[in-house]
Amino acid sequence: MIRRLLSLVPPGTVAVGAGLALLGLASYVHLAVAGHSLTEADYNSLSVLWTIVFTLGIGMFMPVEQEVARIIAARRSQGLPAGPVLARGGLLAAAILLGLVTLILVARQPIADRLFGGDGTMVTVLIGALAALAVAHTTRGVLAGLQLFPWYGTQLALDGGLRIALVVLLGLAGVTSPVWFGAVLVIAPLLGVALTTPPVLRAAGGGTAVAWTTLVRGLGLLVVSSLLAQVVVNIGVINVKLLDPSDTATAGALLSALVLVRIPLFVFASLQASLLPGLATAATTGDHAAFRSLLRRALGVVTALGVAGAVLAVLLGPWLVRTLFDAPDVLGHGDFAWLAVATLAYLWAMVFGQVLLALNRHRAQAVAWCVGVAVLVAVTLIPLPVALRVEIGYASGSVMVAALMAFLLRNAVRPGPTTPLAPSRDTVAVGPTGGTR
């Protein structure tokens, strides 16, 4: 069975998956040690910090990684260097980070009061963690685009290993401040990047500068899609905090449950790093068979993993969150069932989203996520128990996005010689002097 799954995934998935497995383990260790070390209120603050960091960080900087990887992969197939893309991508990530930091600083006190119990230091940690993700995702885009997947996996593994080491030290030292547990999200990824700089530095420089339009033409829509995708998967924890501020138990328990149920998403992340460059290359070269094969294999893998994860989560979830994270006993088997269904649909949506991106259909992807978020909001406003409505909202929004994307792709991936792959508008052309134009 394992060999069969490995034969389905694109090249590079295993190398990235090994690093991502350690990074995923680090998430469990991080929250488990924090759950046993912090008070319920402090763990609640850490849960909110965690949710915001990965909603904004992944939502805003994963698009930079994806565009850098996609354009470098397309240029690589034409013998063009990666340095100009790295230069533009780094500046773009810095500009996005500056915008986020400015907004956070303007609203620093309300954020601290409403989300972190008045602790302004947690806002500082939030800024640092976003900066770390900006650097990490930009460099990973270069590694993925150049198909240096062992280096990509090494960066993930270093991030995860350092997180585990740091939180274990905090636990052994008896640290009871959420600030230090949050600071791990700053220190570990930055050290991981620093230790994997050699191939990134080798890619720097050389070649004619890439036009800004090449990188940013579809980036705005991609950022919208990525940010809304993170809203769908993460907003439940924040909604619990906003809908019932007095409930200090459910937000932390829900984050612990989501971390368990979303184990298949870690696997998809390893698949995603190699899937997008593969799809982009197939689209650029017009290889219909390879394109459809990658899509079928990706859907097969995530479906198998999603179903297996769902069964385990529904059967063992309530016991696991109590045992591993010392979470309050407020979620039952039904809660885990809703979260598992939502996660499986979300996995399908993520695969279809990669296909739309490879076909340069940024707008279609953004529309699907907008509709999904609208459905999530509508369901969340239904007068039901808070935990149940955020769970059903997550499930409904994910199912809507997956179904709409599948509908939008019905013609693009249909077999037959008369169905061309849409060429990427961002594919560079080789000029007379070997530069770009």
Side-chain angles (χ1 to χ4, degrees):
M1 177 64 177
I2 294 177
R3 287 184 178 180
R4 172 62 177 164
L5 285 175
L6 291 178
S7 69
L8 293 174
V9 299
T13 299
V14 175
V16 176
L20 199 61
L22 186 55
L23 185 59
L25 176 63
S27 297
Y28 298 100
V29 174
H30 195 159
L31 294 175
V33 175
H36 286 84
S37 302
L38 304 178
T39 65
E40 192 174 272
D42 285 341
Y43 185 71
N44 192 12
S45 293
L46 179 66
S47 299
V48 173
L49 172 71
W50 187 289
T51 302
I52 296 174
V53 166
F54 291 108
T55 298
L56 285 179
I58 296 177
M60 299 300 287
F61 299 115
M62 178 61 81
V64 176
E65 174 182 335
Q66 290 177 324
E67 286 294 88
V68 167
R70 183 174 68 85
I71 296 170
I72 288 179
R75 288 170 62 89
R76 183 173 178 269
S77 69
Q78 300 173 349
L80 296 174
V85 184
L86 170 60
R88 293 299 197 212
L91 288 174
L92 184 61
I96 294 173
L97 176 64
L98 179 61
L100 287 175
V101 171
T102 301
L103 292 175
I104 291 171
L105 290 177
V106 168
R108 181 185 182 93
Q109 198 56 51
I111 292 174
D113 293 340
R114 184 67 176 174
L115 299 177
F116 301 121
D119 188 351
T121 309
M122 291 292 279
V123 181
T124 302
V125 174
L126 169 61
I127 292 172
L130 291 175
L133 286 181
V135 176
H137 281 295
T138 303
T139 57
R140 290 172 193 170
V142 176
L143 297 175
L146 294 174
Q147 298 188 20
L148 298 175
F149 298 116
W151 280 99
Y152 192 112
T154 298
Q155 185 180 124
L156 296 175
L158 287 169
D159 187 351
L162 288 166
R163 285 195 207 181
I164 292 173
L166 290 171
V167 297
V168 168
L169 288 175
L170 292 176
L172 292 175
V175 174
T176 58
S177 169
V179 171
W180 285 106
F181 282 94
V184 171
L185 298 177
V186 182
I187 299 170
L190 288 178
L191 287 176
V193 169
L195 294 171
T196 53
T197 53
V200 178
L201 293 177
R202 285 196 294 269
T208 305
V210 174
W212 279 110
T213 54
T214 300
L215 189 63
V216 304
R217 180 182 291 132
L219 189 67
L221 290 171
L222 185 56
V223 167
V224 170
S225 299
S226 181
L227 192 57
L228 292 179
Q230 293 305 311
V231 167
V232 169
V233 78
N234 289 317
I235 198 64
V237 175
I238 297 175
N239 279 342
V240 169
K241 182 76 173 179
L242 295 176
L243 292 170
D244 189 358
S246 64
D247 186 351
T248 60
T250 302
L254 184 60
L255 176 62
S256 300
L258 285 170
V259 168
L260 281 175
V261 172
R262 294 192 316 223
I263 290 176
L265 289 178
F266 286 105
V267 180
F268 173 77
S270 63
L271 175 67
Q272 181 181 27
S274 54
L275 178 62
L276 180 58
L279 289 169
T281 300
T284 301
T285 59
D287 191 341
H288 301 252
F291 193 90
R292 290 193 293 268
S293 177
L294 280 172
L295 173 58
R296 286 194 301 268
R297 285 185 286 167
L299 287 174
V301 170
V302 300
T303 300
L305 292 169
V307 171
V311 172
L312 291 176
V314 173
L315 292 177
L316 302 176
W319 175 75
L320 285 172
V321 294
R322 292 194 303 270
T323 304
L324 296 179
F325 306 112
D326 196 26
D329 188 13
V330 295
L331 301 179
H333 297 283
D335 298 295
F336 278 88
W338 280 113
L339 295 175
V341 169
T343 300
L344 177 58
Y346 188 86
L347 282 165
W348 290 335
M350 294 300 288
V351 172
F352 289 138
Q354 296 297 287
V355 178
L356 287 169
L357 179 58
L359 295 175
N360 202 33
R361 299 182 63 182
H362 298 68
R363 184 173 290 104
Q365 184 183 208
V367 168
W369 284 113
C370 286
V371 173
V373 169
V375 170
L376 182 151
V377 171
V379 172
T380 303
L381 294 176
I382 297 174
L384 294 170
V386 172
L388 182 59
R389 61 168 126 167
V390 299
E391 292 158 3
I392 298 177
Y394 174 28
S396 302
S398 299
V399 169
M400 176 57 68
V401 175
L404 184 54
M405 284 185 177
F407 175 78
L408 293 171
L409 284 168
R410 67 193 186 283
N411 292 324
V413 296
R414 182 178 300 161
T418 59
T419 306
L421 288 172
S424 171
R425 290 176 299 156
D426 294 337
T427 300
V428 293
V430 181
T433 60
T436 60
R437 57 180 174 86

